[in-house]
Amino acid sequence: MTGGPQQSTAGQQTGGQRPTGGPQQPTPGGPRRIAVIGAGPGGLYFAALAKQLDPAREITVFERDGREDAFGFGVVFSDETLDGIAQADPKVFAAISAEFARWSDIDIRYAGQVRTSGGHGFAALDRNRLRAVLQDRCAELAVDVRYRTPAPPADRLAAEYDLVVAADGIHSGTRAARPEAFRTELDERHCRYIWLATDKVFEAFTFIVEEFDFGTVQVHAYPYSATRSTFIVEIAADAWRRAGFEALAAREFARGESDLASVERCAELLAGHLDGHRLIPNASRWIRFTTVRNASWRHGNTVLLGDAAHSAHFSIGSGTKLALEDALALAAALSEQPTPDGALAAYEAERRPVVESTQRAAQASLEWFETVGRRTGRDPDRFAFDLLTRSRRVTYDNLRARDPEFTAAVDAATGGSPGVPPMFRPLKLGALELRNRIVVPPLATFTSPDGLPSAFDRAQLTAHALGGAGLVIAGMTAVSPEGRATDRCPGLWTDRQEGAWAELRRAVAAVSDTPVGLQLTHAGRRGATAAPGPDGIGRPLADGWPLLAPSPLPWDSGSAVPHEANDVHLAVVTADFAAAAERAARAGFDVLELQFGHGHLLSAFLSPLTNHRTDGYGGPLAHRLRLPVEVLSAVRAVWPAGRPLLVRISAADWAPGGTTEDEAVAICRALGEAGADAVDVSTGEVVAHQRPPYGRGFQTPFAELVRAATGLPTVAVGAISGHDDANSVLLAGRADLVAVGRAQLHDPFWTLHAAAEQAYTGAGAPWPAPWLAGRRRPPGPGADKVAPRLHLLREAAPPVHRRWRPAPDGQ
């Protein structure tokens, strides 16, 4: 399926690009008889390429529908995929490129206004014309395409042919017949969408977000010919029901039949965007998108291709693109590898990383549109920027390169100043003015065998304070001996520790005015371990201390069983946090953070997976919140007014039955009411059997959720390592601050170097006076080389804004 712009940055390697250097000859002994199930674009393109590479191959394509049967509307291509087609089969490229609709703009219609971003570059085509071109190419190459001929069972084909290519779509019968071999995971989403066309020819890729009394409707629309546009209507499940669509779609529809009543209702609702034009159905009915993932794409001599192997949400326009790239890679692997098994393994090894990267981007985009209602109160400029950067493939810098005026307008509309990247805008938190939005989060060093901050703690905090961040937080400081995570963690429960922290704070202040905070914690059942080894795991100590938890549940099978906390324990824990907070204030810390996440004691009380109590501290969320709120209130009472008090939470447990999004919002709302100035929104590490979907910025949506639902300032944290991502998060309004952790371990001066890379020299990133000479990037090899002029006349730069305005017939 393809229905949206492929969000990728210029020059990104994709599966459609392969090494050049001249064609290779087919490897002798490869599969001679090949069966292809499905004559969609992917199946036909593979058949044509495989036959082109070795005309002696006998290739048969089975297709249950007729050659002239029309399905679908338009498909959108990325430049990378088109480059691959041009190199692999110039005849196909010439035929399809002659009919492309081309444009570079994206229009966002929202809140009665339109925002336009240019410089994107699109090429679209009628899917049925693409299929016709590939049909003709297969006929020219003598591929045996058998229309209105359902494929025999895959096992029978596997016995009769050397290779079976299953290009039989998202509901692949081949895949379903061998669930144990492919180990398929189907993720069916809750939104409903209906795929339509219209005879209104849009001039750009157009996102429509319209609010009604029943909820939000969004449309993904783009032109694909001189007379037609694709028009996909998508609605969240609850809004879909309230709008009356459930009743209209209640009956069974025959294959190929459209839900005309729903089409008519869509036309009524969206008449203001159709300008009198009609909606055109083609087997159109409400469906739910399913993301297809397979643990393996091959079994014996059978291999999956396109949607049979994987799917990616239509909002980033990747279905047909991925299928064509699969076809190219598979055909090439059959000619490059000496054995069929080797070829199928090479095909999957090449394509899987590309597909999984695309699926991560598609998942982010899908979830953005599923939750678009959270964002409909934003101003149009910020909303447009958020939409365009939703998949994390298009970013702040990327948009500035494509359309500088658009990004400058968003900067200005959101209170920015010219030449000041979003990450270098100041922020007032409590009575504290932060010079920029970058936080160095708590980074444990595990260098404190005596519970005192070590020389390395001092060196690390000093380096980070000099490195330009707006706030630096010292980490994982225990409020009691039994609250330590490891035997090498510092604490703050004695006068000696308080004095050591005060001396460290004075030493940092002597060289930097960067605000420094301290995180306080009680590790609970995650305590009494050794410092993590090279694998990042801390093993239980042989002579550890007694552990405390809301319920007697060990972290994992190798951990000690914790004691279930009684009323006396809970009172002591609360008092320990308050006493440590008083010590932190006297030691001179500017900010305090309480660790209520990552499975530590207060986190364990919040999660239903770790709190099985039946008293007033367990059961419903209000009871599970009781101890965290008591601790926070006690700390707020002694922590100086005006000094910010932050709380870190795990907004998701990444395990069935864990904290829900609604509960995460309720937790943060309660923390705000109890005195938290901001929430540091992390996820996971609550249970050992978690399965987080790791990837760039994967936790940021939770910071956005909390910020939108509660109005509390939030810190986005987790897998944010580049200044471009930080700027994107902040300008889109997903968080107020961005915590950059591991990247700061790689480069303690990350913030200053980010300023240099962005040519920013303002007050948000002051270099220490002794280092001023180094604030510009040093010249490297070849920096003094000046390229000569090599063209008589330079090509004009393509226009930023290009609209699809086909000439009238006959002109």
PDB file of all heavy atoms in Angstrom, residues 454-464 504:
ATOM      1  N   SER A 454      32.849  10.146  44.381  1.00  0.00           N
ATOM      2  CA  SER A 454      34.251   9.832  44.118  1.00  0.00           C
ATOM      3  C   SER A 454      34.934  10.941  43.332  1.00  0.00           C
ATOM      4  O   SER A 454      34.305  11.891  42.859  1.00  0.00           O
ATOM      5  CB  SER A 454      34.329   8.534  43.318  1.00  0.00           C
ATOM      6  OG  SER A 454      33.783   8.742  42.012  1.00  0.00           O
ATOM      7  N   ALA A 455      36.235  10.769  43.174  1.00  0.00           N
ATOM      8  CA  ALA A 455      36.987  11.700  42.327  1.00  0.00           C
ATOM      9  C   ALA A 455      36.459  11.669  40.904  1.00  0.00           C
ATOM     10  O   ALA A 455      36.432  12.699  40.214  1.00  0.00           O
ATOM     11  CB  ALA A 455      38.473  11.342  42.361  1.00  0.00           C
ATOM     12  N   PHE A 456      36.028  10.493  40.457  1.00  0.00           N
ATOM     13  CA  PHE A 456      35.484  10.415  39.092  1.00  0.00           C
ATOM     14  C   PHE A 456      34.136  11.125  39.017  1.00  0.00           C
ATOM     15  O   PHE A 456      33.832  11.777  38.019  1.00  0.00           O
ATOM     16  CB  PHE A 456      35.345   8.965  38.634  1.00  0.00           C
ATOM     17  CG  PHE A 456      35.176   8.837  37.149  1.00  0.00           C
ATOM     18  CD1 PHE A 456      36.278   8.666  36.326  1.00  0.00           C
ATOM     19  CD2 PHE A 456      33.914   8.922  36.552  1.00  0.00           C
ATOM     20  CE1 PHE A 456      36.134   8.579  34.948  1.00  0.00           C
ATOM     21  CE2 PHE A 456      33.764   8.837  35.186  1.00  0.00           C
ATOM     22  CZ  PHE A 456      34.884   8.654  34.373  1.00  0.00           C
ATOM     23  N   ASP A 457      33.303  11.007  40.052  1.00  0.00           N
ATOM     24  CA  ASP A 457      32.044  11.766  40.076  1.00  0.00           C
ATOM     25  C   ASP A 457      32.331  13.253  39.925  1.00  0.00           C
ATOM     26  O   ASP A 457      31.657  13.958  39.158  1.00  0.00           O
ATOM     27  CB  ASP A 457      31.292  11.529  41.392  1.00  0.00           C
ATOM     28  CG  ASP A 457      30.643  10.163  41.468  1.00  0.00           C
ATOM     29  OD1 ASP A 457      30.079   9.717  40.452  1.00  0.00           O
ATOM     30  OD2 ASP A 457      30.712   9.541  42.541  1.00  0.00           O
ATOM     31  N   ARG A 458      33.326  13.723  40.646  1.00  0.00           N
ATOM     32  CA  ARG A 458      33.668  15.144  40.597  1.00  0.00           C
ATOM     33  C   ARG A 458      34.144  15.529  39.194  1.00  0.00           C
ATOM     34  O   ARG A 458      33.727  16.556  38.650  1.00  0.00           O
ATOM     35  CB  ARG A 458      34.756  15.447  41.631  1.00  0.00           C
ATOM     36  CG  ARG A 458      35.272  16.874  41.594  1.00  0.00           C
ATOM     37  CD  ARG A 458      36.166  17.134  42.784  1.00  0.00           C
ATOM     38  NE  ARG A 458      36.818  18.432  42.705  1.00  0.00           N
ATOM     39  CZ  ARG A 458      37.478  19.006  43.701  1.00  0.00           C
ATOM     40  NH1 ARG A 458      37.565  18.374  44.869  1.00  0.00           N
ATOM     41  NH2 ARG A 458      38.037  20.183  43.555  1.00  0.00           N
ATOM     42  N   ALA A 459      35.014  14.690  38.605  1.00  0.00           N
ATOM     43  CA  ALA A 459      35.524  14.990  37.261  1.00  0.00           C
ATOM     44  C   ALA A 459      34.395  14.982  36.236  1.00  0.00           C
ATOM     45  O   ALA A 459      34.316  15.853  35.364  1.00  0.00           O
ATOM     46  CB  ALA A 459      36.603  13.985  36.888  1.00  0.00           C
ATOM     47  N   GLN A 460      33.498  13.996  36.347  1.00  0.00           N
ATOM     48  CA  GLN A 460      32.418  13.887  35.366  1.00  0.00           C
ATOM     49  C   GLN A 460      31.463  15.073  35.468  1.00  0.00           C
ATOM     50  O   GLN A 460      31.091  15.676  34.447  1.00  0.00           O
ATOM     51  CB  GLN A 460      31.651  12.576  35.575  1.00  0.00           C
ATOM     52  CG  GLN A 460      30.441  12.427  34.646  1.00  0.00           C
ATOM     53  CD  GLN A 460      29.831  11.044  34.712  1.00  0.00           C
ATOM     54  OE1 GLN A 460      30.397  10.096  34.218  1.00  0.00           O
ATOM     55  NE2 GLN A 460      28.648  10.937  35.342  1.00  0.00           N
ATOM     56  N   LEU A 461      31.048  15.428  36.678  1.00  0.00           N
ATOM     57  CA  LEU A 461      30.120  16.539  36.839  1.00  0.00           C
ATOM     58  C   LEU A 461      30.755  17.860  36.410  1.00  0.00           C
ATOM     59  O   LEU A 461      30.095  18.717  35.812  1.00  0.00           O
ATOM     60  CB  LEU A 461      29.649  16.627  38.289  1.00  0.00           C
ATOM     61  CG  LEU A 461      28.655  15.547  38.722  1.00  0.00           C
ATOM     62  CD1 LEU A 461      28.433  15.601  40.218  1.00  0.00           C
ATOM     63  CD2 LEU A 461      27.334  15.699  37.978  1.00  0.00           C
ATOM     64  N   THR A 462      32.042  18.020  36.684  1.00  0.00           N
ATOM     65  CA  THR A 462      32.726  19.250  36.267  1.00  0.00           C
ATOM     66  C   THR A 462      32.781  19.336  34.745  1.00  0.00           C
ATOM     67  O   THR A 462      32.509  20.393  34.161  1.00  0.00           O
ATOM     68  CB  THR A 462      34.145  19.303  36.857  1.00  0.00           C
ATOM     69  OG1 THR A 462      34.063  19.222  38.276  1.00  0.00           O
ATOM     70  CG2 THR A 462      34.837  20.592  36.467  1.00  0.00           C
ATOM     71  N   ALA A 463      33.123  18.230  34.113  1.00  0.00           N
ATOM     72  CA  ALA A 463      33.193  18.219  32.651  1.00  0.00           C
ATOM     73  C   ALA A 463      31.835  18.529  32.040  1.00  0.00           C
ATOM     74  O   ALA A 463      31.717  19.332  31.100  1.00  0.00           O
ATOM     75  CB  ALA A 463      33.698  16.868  32.167  1.00  0.00           C
ATOM     76  N   HIS A 464      30.786  17.907  32.572  1.00  0.00           N
ATOM     77  CA  HIS A 464      29.457  18.152  32.009  1.00  0.00           C
ATOM     78  C   HIS A 464      28.985  19.575  32.289  1.00  0.00           C
ATOM     79  O   HIS A 464      28.294  20.181  31.460  1.00  0.00           O
ATOM     80  CB  HIS A 464      28.466  17.126  32.566  1.00  0.00           C
ATOM     81  CG  HIS A 464      28.624  15.769  31.969  1.00  0.00           C
ATOM     82  ND1 HIS A 464      28.425  14.604  32.671  1.00  0.00           N
ATOM     83  CD2 HIS A 464      28.984  15.384  30.718  1.00  0.00           C
ATOM     84  CE1 HIS A 464      28.638  13.567  31.889  1.00  0.00           C
ATOM     85  NE2 HIS A 464      28.982  14.022  30.701  1.00  0.00           N
ATOM     86  N   LEU A 504      32.063  19.029  46.608  1.00  0.00           N
ATOM     87  CA  LEU A 504      31.999  18.800  45.152  1.00  0.00           C
ATOM     88  C   LEU A 504      31.220  19.922  44.465  1.00  0.00           C
ATOM     89  O   LEU A 504      31.636  20.431  43.425  1.00  0.00           O
ATOM     90  CB  LEU A 504      31.353  17.436  44.876  1.00  0.00           C
ATOM     91  CG  LEU A 504      31.280  16.966  43.423  1.00  0.00           C
ATOM     92  CD1 LEU A 504      31.219  15.436  43.355  1.00  0.00           C
ATOM     93  CD2 LEU A 504      30.051  17.525  42.695  1.00  0.00           C
TER      94      LEU A 504
END
